[in-house]
Every structure is written in C-alpha cells, then in structure tokens.
Amino acid sequence: VVAWALWPGRTSIGDFGGRGTIWRFVAALIGDHPWLGVGPGKYAQGMRDGGYAALLSPSEGIHNAHNLLLHVGAEIGVAGMLCLLAFLIWMVRACYEAWTARQLPMVSLGLCFALVGFLLHSASEDFLDARADVERTRLIVWMCFGAALAVARLPRAASTAS
C-alpha cells in the first residue's frame, strides 16, 4: 500500500485519507536523514525543520507518520527501520514454526495472526505512538511481542534421521 502511494507518476485513485501525501513527505524526510534519522521522539520537529509541516494541515501527519515503519525510519534511520521489520517478520515466522511443530498450536497460531494483523494495520497507523488514546493498544501489542518471543524460545523436537 505504501509503495503504491509513493510510486512516482501513479494516477490518483485516492490518497488513503491524506496518508499518501504524508508518506511522500516522510519518505523525503527519511531521504534527508537516512543514516540516523531526525532522532528518537523528534519526528514533529523534523517535519517542521524540513519544511514539510507547513505543507500539511495541522491535523495531518505532523505528530505521526501514520505508518509504523516510516515513522521509525524518520526517527532512527533506515537501518533501524529495517531492523524493526526484520524483528517483526522473525516473530511471525517463529510463531508459525511453533504452530507447524505443534507446540502450543492454538497459542502459536493466534499470535501469528495477531502479529500479521499488527503488521498490516501498522501500514496505515502507528500503534506504538506515545499518545494516550493508543495506550491500551500498545500494552496489548507489547504483550503479543513478549508472548511471541516466549513461543520462539520453546524447545523444538529433534528431527529423526531416517
């Protein structure tokens, strides 16, 4: 979805509620600071300093990139964004492998779906934002992360050689 919204020369079929415009500015902000980002918690300041905030209405994207990976990329750089993506994919894979190995199958499958849902919804929102209205959601997300890490640490049954 994000790649489609950022694709140069695409015909406009919608802007995802203004998110496409925000994502283009955030991509430019990441391009301005690719290695270290603008600093943790400095997204709004980076948008203002880069001149991007002046191009958006006050309610749009000034405090939140409306995309978890882009927000992290803007704040801590491309390497941090890729590390977060790799970590999230690793957790989903670990839960899937635990499910296929029949280790806590319902818990593993439930966590796998919860994490995939989190990844999909994070394409249009930042659940880890520090706003008060996402506080409960953040707690649930971190609990899922912790449970997924616990499932990943389950001992695997030794495969028998034939």
Side-chain angles (χ1 to χ4, degrees), residues 21 25 44-58 60-62:
T21 303
F25 291 143
Q45 180 181 339
M47 289 293 281
R48 284 191 294 276
D49 292 349
Y52 305 113
L55 304 172
L56 297 169
S57 71
E60 292 182 315
I62 295 174

Side-chain angles (χ1 to χ4, degrees), residues 13-101:
I13 301 177
D15 197 28
F16 302 105
R19 283 170 168 78
T21 303
I22 295 166
W23 294 337
R24 282 194 268 307
F25 291 143
V26 175
L29 180 62
I30 292 171
D32 294 344
H33 306 277
W35 301 112
L36 299 175
V38 294
K42 303 289 186 186
Y43 170 80
Q45 180 181 339
M47 289 293 281
R48 284 191 294 276
D49 292 349
Y52 305 113
L55 304 172
L56 297 169
S57 71
S59 64
E60 292 182 315
I62 295 174
H63 301 290
N64 185 330
H66 295 286
N67 180 293
L68 175 63
L69 292 174
L70 288 178
H71 194 96
V72 168
E75 287 193 350
I76 62 174
V78 174
M81 177 177 65
L82 293 176
C83 285
L84 175 62
L85 180 62
F87 176 69
L88 293 172
I89 290 171
W90 174 81
M91 282 195 301
V92 170
R93 183 173 177 226
C95 289
Y96 176 76
E97 287 176 357
W99 175 68
T100 58

